[in-house]
mmCIF file of all heavy atoms in Angstrom:
data_model
loop_
_atom_site.group_PDB
_atom_site.id
_atom_site.type_symbol
_atom_site.label_atom_id
_atom_site.label_comp_id
_atom_site.label_asym_id
_atom_site.label_seq_id
_atom_site.Cartn_x
_atom_site.Cartn_y
_atom_site.Cartn_z
ATOM 1 N N ASP U 45 0.644 74.479 -16.400
ATOM 2 C CA ASP U 45 -0.701 74.493 -16.974
ATOM 3 C C ASP U 45 -1.758 74.884 -15.934
ATOM 4 O O ASP U 45 -2.957 74.735 -16.172
ATOM 5 C CB ASP U 45 -1.008 73.098 -17.538
ATOM 6 C CG ASP U 45 -1.786 73.179 -18.852
ATOM 7 O OD1 ASP U 45 -1.591 74.160 -19.600
ATOM 8 O OD2 ASP U 45 -2.586 72.256 -19.132
ATOM 9 N N GLY U 46 -1.295 75.337 -14.744
ATOM 10 C CA GLY U 46 -2.240 75.855 -13.766
ATOM 11 C C GLY U 46 -2.663 74.876 -12.673
ATOM 12 O O GLY U 46 -3.435 75.215 -11.782
ATOM 13 N N HIS U 47 -2.139 73.659 -12.738
ATOM 14 C CA HIS U 47 -2.476 72.696 -11.685
ATOM 15 C C HIS U 47 -1.530 72.876 -10.494
ATOM 16 O O HIS U 47 -0.507 73.550 -10.599
ATOM 17 C CB HIS U 47 -2.355 71.264 -12.231
ATOM 18 C CG HIS U 47 -3.257 71.009 -13.410
ATOM 19 N ND1 HIS U 47 -4.627 70.948 -13.306
ATOM 20 C CD2 HIS U 47 -2.970 70.816 -14.724
ATOM 21 C CE1 HIS U 47 -5.145 70.712 -14.501
ATOM 22 N NE2 HIS U 47 -4.166 70.638 -15.387
ATOM 23 N N GLN U 48 -1.947 72.250 -9.372
ATOM 24 C CA GLN U 48 -1.087 72.305 -8.185
ATOM 25 C C GLN U 48 -0.496 70.930 -7.875
ATOM 26 O O GLN U 48 -1.196 69.927 -7.996
ATOM 27 C CB GLN U 48 -1.905 72.766 -6.970
ATOM 28 C CG GLN U 48 -1.998 74.285 -6.871
ATOM 29 C CD GLN U 48 -3.390 74.705 -6.526
ATOM 30 O OE1 GLN U 48 -4.061 74.047 -5.735
ATOM 31 N NE2 GLN U 48 -3.853 75.797 -7.120
ATOM 32 N N CYS U 49 0.756 70.917 -7.468
ATOM 33 C CA CYS U 49 1.412 69.630 -7.188
ATOM 34 C C CYS U 49 1.918 69.561 -5.759
ATOM 35 O O CYS U 49 2.520 70.526 -5.243
ATOM 36 C CB CYS U 49 2.591 69.409 -8.143
ATOM 37 S SG CYS U 49 2.066 68.976 -9.803
ATOM 38 N N VAL U 50 1.687 68.424 -5.146
ATOM 39 C CA VAL U 50 2.297 68.095 -3.857
ATOM 40 C C VAL U 50 3.314 67.004 -4.144
ATOM 41 O O VAL U 50 2.954 65.968 -4.722
ATOM 42 C CB VAL U 50 1.240 67.595 -2.857
ATOM 43 C CG1 VAL U 50 1.892 67.283 -1.522
ATOM 44 C CG2 VAL U 50 0.138 68.627 -2.710
ATOM 45 N N VAL U 51 4.576 67.258 -3.794
ATOM 46 C CA VAL U 51 5.637 66.368 -4.282
ATOM 47 C C VAL U 51 6.406 65.717 -3.151
ATOM 48 O O VAL U 51 6.687 66.332 -2.117
ATOM 49 C CB VAL U 51 6.624 67.141 -5.205
ATOM 50 C CG1 VAL U 51 5.858 67.797 -6.350
ATOM 51 C CG2 VAL U 51 7.425 68.167 -4.438
ATOM 52 N N TYR U 52 6.749 64.437 -3.394
ATOM 53 C CA TYR U 52 7.512 63.689 -2.389
ATOM 54 C C TYR U 52 8.585 62.851 -3.080
ATOM 55 O O TYR U 52 8.371 62.307 -4.178
ATOM 56 C CB TYR U 52 6.590 62.764 -1.586
ATOM 57 C CG TYR U 52 7.365 61.830 -0.711
ATOM 58 C CD1 TYR U 52 7.977 62.281 0.456
ATOM 59 C CD2 TYR U 52 7.541 60.489 -1.077
ATOM 60 C CE1 TYR U 52 8.733 61.424 1.241
ATOM 61 C CE2 TYR U 52 8.290 59.631 -0.290
ATOM 62 C CZ TYR U 52 8.890 60.104 0.865
ATOM 63 O OH TYR U 52 9.654 59.272 1.641
ATOM 64 N N ASP U 53 9.715 62.743 -2.413
ATOM 65 C CA ASP U 53 10.761 61.807 -2.860
ATOM 66 C C ASP U 53 11.450 61.284 -1.598
ATOM 67 O O ASP U 53 11.542 61.995 -0.591
ATOM 68 C CB ASP U 53 11.770 62.529 -3.758
ATOM 69 C CG ASP U 53 12.663 61.561 -4.511
ATOM 70 O OD1 ASP U 53 13.593 61.008 -3.868
ATOM 71 O OD2 ASP U 53 12.441 61.326 -5.718
ATOM 72 N N HIS U 54 11.941 60.056 -1.671
ATOM 73 C CA HIS U 54 12.623 59.519 -0.482
ATOM 74 C C HIS U 54 13.917 60.284 -0.212
ATOM 75 O O HIS U 54 14.453 60.273 0.886
ATOM 76 C CB HIS U 54 12.868 58.013 -0.624
ATOM 77 C CG HIS U 54 13.882 57.666 -1.662
ATOM 78 N ND1 HIS U 54 15.128 57.203 -1.351
ATOM 79 C CD2 HIS U 54 13.829 57.785 -3.002
ATOM 80 C CE1 HIS U 54 15.792 56.996 -2.481
ATOM 81 N NE2 HIS U 54 15.026 57.347 -3.488
ATOM 82 N N ASN U 55 14.377 61.001 -1.209
ATOM 83 C CA ASN U 55 15.551 61.853 -1.036
ATOM 84 C C ASN U 55 15.095 63.305 -0.806
ATOM 85 O O ASN U 55 14.584 63.954 -1.723
ATOM 86 C CB ASN U 55 16.419 61.747 -2.298
ATOM 87 C CG ASN U 55 17.547 62.768 -2.299
ATOM 88 O OD1 ASN U 55 17.791 63.440 -1.295
ATOM 89 N ND2 ASN U 55 18.222 62.869 -3.435
ATOM 90 N N PRO U 56 15.277 63.830 0.405
ATOM 91 C CA PRO U 56 14.772 65.169 0.748
ATOM 92 C C PRO U 56 15.335 66.262 -0.165
ATOM 93 O O PRO U 56 14.664 67.260 -0.428
ATOM 94 C CB PRO U 56 15.237 65.376 2.189
ATOM 95 C CG PRO U 56 15.585 64.025 2.715
ATOM 96 C CD PRO U 56 15.991 63.202 1.538
ATOM 97 N N ASP U 57 16.559 66.090 -0.670
ATOM 98 C CA ASP U 57 17.145 67.100 -1.551
ATOM 99 C C ASP U 57 16.335 67.250 -2.833
ATOM 100 O O ASP U 57 16.196 68.347 -3.370
ATOM 101 C CB ASP U 57 18.592 66.719 -1.912
ATOM 102 C CG ASP U 57 19.501 66.828 -0.690
ATOM 103 O OD1 ASP U 57 19.092 67.487 0.296
ATOM 104 O OD2 ASP U 57 20.601 66.248 -0.720
ATOM 105 N N ALA U 58 15.821 66.152 -3.335
ATOM 106 C CA ALA U 58 15.012 66.216 -4.550
ATOM 107 C C ALA U 58 13.737 67.010 -4.293
ATOM 108 O O ALA U 58 13.265 67.756 -5.152
ATOM 109 C CB ALA U 58 14.675 64.799 -5.037
ATOM 110 N N VAL U 59 13.178 66.844 -3.102
ATOM 111 C CA VAL U 59 11.983 67.609 -2.748
ATOM 112 C C VAL U 59 12.331 69.095 -2.684
ATOM 113 O O VAL U 59 11.651 69.937 -3.281
ATOM 114 C CB VAL U 59 11.402 67.122 -1.407
ATOM 115 C CG1 VAL U 59 10.173 67.966 -1.012
ATOM 116 C CG2 VAL U 59 11.034 65.646 -1.481
ATOM 117 N N LYS U 60 13.414 69.390 -1.969
ATOM 118 C CA LYS U 60 13.835 70.789 -1.819
ATOM 119 C C LYS U 60 14.037 71.465 -3.176
ATOM 120 O O LYS U 60 13.670 72.617 -3.377
ATOM 121 C CB LYS U 60 15.146 70.841 -1.032
ATOM 122 C CG LYS U 60 14.946 71.362 0.423
ATOM 123 C CD LYS U 60 16.278 71.486 1.151
ATOM 124 C CE LYS U 60 16.375 70.425 2.236
ATOM 125 N NZ LYS U 60 17.732 70.245 2.778
ATOM 126 N N ALA U 61 14.632 70.753 -4.095
ATOM 127 C CA ALA U 61 14.956 71.338 -5.400
ATOM 128 C C ALA U 61 13.716 71.825 -6.144
ATOM 129 O O ALA U 61 13.778 72.754 -6.952
ATOM 130 C CB ALA U 61 15.705 70.317 -6.251
ATOM 131 N N LEU U 62 12.585 71.210 -5.868
ATOM 132 C CA LEU U 62 11.351 71.577 -6.578
ATOM 133 C C LEU U 62 10.437 72.471 -5.730
ATOM 134 O O LEU U 62 9.698 73.312 -6.261
ATOM 135 C CB LEU U 62 10.550 70.317 -6.922
ATOM 136 C CG LEU U 62 10.783 69.635 -8.265
ATOM 137 C CD1 LEU U 62 9.824 68.469 -8.378
ATOM 138 C CD2 LEU U 62 10.567 70.609 -9.420
ATOM 139 N N ALA U 63 10.467 72.267 -4.416
ATOM 140 C CA ALA U 63 9.437 72.821 -3.526
ATOM 141 C C ALA U 63 9.326 74.334 -3.606
ATOM 142 O O ALA U 63 8.266 74.909 -3.377
ATOM 143 C CB ALA U 63 9.689 72.370 -2.097
ATOM 144 N N GLY U 64 10.415 74.996 -3.937
ATOM 145 C CA GLY U 64 10.351 76.455 -3.985
ATOM 146 C C GLY U 64 9.481 76.993 -5.130
ATOM 147 O O GLY U 64 9.020 78.123 -5.074
ATOM 148 N N GLU U 65 9.230 76.232 -6.163
ATOM 149 C CA GLU U 65 8.607 76.773 -7.358
ATOM 150 C C GLU U 65 7.093 76.980 -7.206
ATOM 151 O O GLU U 65 6.464 76.375 -6.335
ATOM 152 C CB GLU U 65 8.910 75.848 -8.550
ATOM 153 C CG GLU U 65 10.414 75.657 -8.741
ATOM 154 C CD GLU U 65 10.773 74.775 -9.930
ATOM 155 O OE1 GLU U 65 9.914 74.561 -10.802
ATOM 156 O OE2 GLU U 65 11.929 74.284 -9.976
ATOM 157 N N ASP U 66 6.538 77.825 -8.055
ATOM 158 C CA ASP U 66 5.108 78.156 -7.998
ATOM 159 C C ASP U 66 4.218 76.916 -8.043
ATOM 160 O O ASP U 66 4.404 76.038 -8.893
ATOM 161 C CB ASP U 66 4.723 79.020 -9.217
ATOM 162 C CG ASP U 66 5.047 80.483 -8.964
ATOM 163 O OD1 ASP U 66 5.509 80.800 -7.843
ATOM 164 O OD2 ASP U 66 4.869 81.284 -9.902
ATOM 165 N N ASN U 67 3.260 76.876 -7.147
ATOM 166 C CA ASN U 67 2.249 75.818 -7.139
ATOM 167 C C ASN U 67 2.803 74.444 -6.802
ATOM 168 O O ASN U 67 2.148 73.434 -7.039
ATOM 169 C CB ASN U 67 1.528 75.737 -8.499
ATOM 170 C CG ASN U 67 0.597 76.925 -8.688
ATOM 171 O OD1 ASN U 67 -0.096 77.325 -7.755
ATOM 172 N ND2 ASN U 67 0.602 77.507 -9.880
#
Side-chain angles (χ1 to χ4, degrees):
Chain U
D45 219 31
H47 301 291
Q48 275 137 38
C49 286
V50 181
V51 304
Y52 171 75
D53 194 284
H54 69 108
N55 171 9
D57 291 343
V59 178
K60 253 184 250 166
L62 269 183
E65 304 181 17
D66 277 357
N67 288 318

